[in-house]
Amino acid sequence: MKTKLFLCLLLAVGSSTGVFAQGRIVANSIREYINADVKIVPREDGKGVSIVSEEPMYVAGQKVNYKNSAVYIAFSLHPEWDNVLLVADWTGSMYSYVGQIIRWHKLNIDKELVRNIVLFNDGDDAISSKPKRIGGTGGIYYANPNDIEGLLEQIEIAVDNGDGGDAEENDIEAILAGLNKFQEAQDIVLVADSSPVRDIKLMYNIEQPVNIIICDTGNIQDYIRLAYYTGGTITSAYDDIDFSDRQSINPANIVFEGNIYDVSMETATLNKQ
């Protein structure tokens, strides 16, 4: 979902300086958020801490309510995730969720649960008369999560370079790029909204489970397909499904947040493997 944030603030900054530094504004907002006071409790598995019962805050102009934050809920529900390759949609609607990821990681940084981060924005602002090339759209950025300032610098660069300009995203390209670069990754966690996945057909090249944190409501057919096909999980603020035992799941009747999804088309591909 493509949304340009802080329009009024950007206009004010631009009019006084002549420069529209949206990336710096977003990075500074996240920096302020991750450094704010927070109530924490130890996780039951001993792997770090979780955030609880905090008053809503704003990250990059977007409200964060911890009682229905898909990010914090997902990490609490899945303490088994370790040596994580975290792949995150980095377009306008996702700024607050990536802020939550960084905050959670900073609180648990000594555990090194998240080892590498990949941000993707669906090809920067490279819009032309030609369609984007599946698998070669670009707009992919790598960051070391243990270097918080370096991560924020990458965030600033990625924001200023654009957000793809259209609705679909290159989620699978980003996952495959991350796996190619960080081959030691144990668990893949994709953080995304309900934007369609332009390159969903590339998911057949993924050989590890993909665990998806879905951050908003909408038609998430592509993400249900991806989680089911790879034998991963999909988690929102209100629901959670584990597809590791596909034999026990009817692919034609998957219920998530009260909606029914049919991914039976994937069973034929799985049966050939």
Side-chain angles (χ1 to χ4, degrees), residues 149-170:
E149 283 304 312
L151 172 56
L152 290 172
E153 288 176 7
Q154 283 294 92
I155 281 173
E156 182 175 336
I157 292 169
V159 170
D160 286 340
N161 283 349
D163 65 355
D166 52 8
E168 296 178 318
E169 313 287 12
N170 58 330

Side-chain angles (χ1 to χ4, degrees), residues 212-267:
I212 301 168
I213 302 175
I214 199 76
C215 296
D216 68 357
T217 57
N219 186 343
I220 58 169
Q221 176 78 23
D222 287 343
Y223 298 97
I224 297 289
R225 286 180 64 191
L226 176 60
Y228 175 81
Y229 176 78
T230 62
T233 62
I234 185 164
T235 307
S236 72
Y238 307 102
D239 210 342
D240 178 69
I241 300 179
D242 184 344
F243 292 109
S244 58
D245 182 12
R246 284 186 295 247
Q247 300 300 320
S248 65
I249 295 173
N250 178 2
N253 188 41
I254 295 174
V255 180
F256 189 82
E257 290 192 351
N259 298 309
I260 298 175
Y261 296 91
D262 181 354
V263 296
S264 55
M265 76 287 288
E266 305 303 342
T267 58

Side-chain angles (χ1 to χ4, degrees), residues 34 82-86 101-118 142-155 182 184:
I34 66 176
D82 199 1
N83 188 5
V84 169
L85 168 61
L86 195 142
I101 291 166
I102 298 172
R103 184 167 192 168
W104 182 90
H105 171 67
K106 184 181 179 184
L107 290 169
N108 295 280
I109 197 166
D110 60 317
K111 304 297 181 181
E112 296 187 336
L113 301 177
V114 177
R115 298 288 181 86
N116 297 286
I117 291 180
V118 177
Y142 307 99
N144 175 4
N146 293 327
D147 178 5
I148 299 296
E149 283 304 312
L151 172 56
L152 290 172
E153 288 176 7
Q154 283 294 92
I155 281 173
F182 307 113
E184 73 284 358

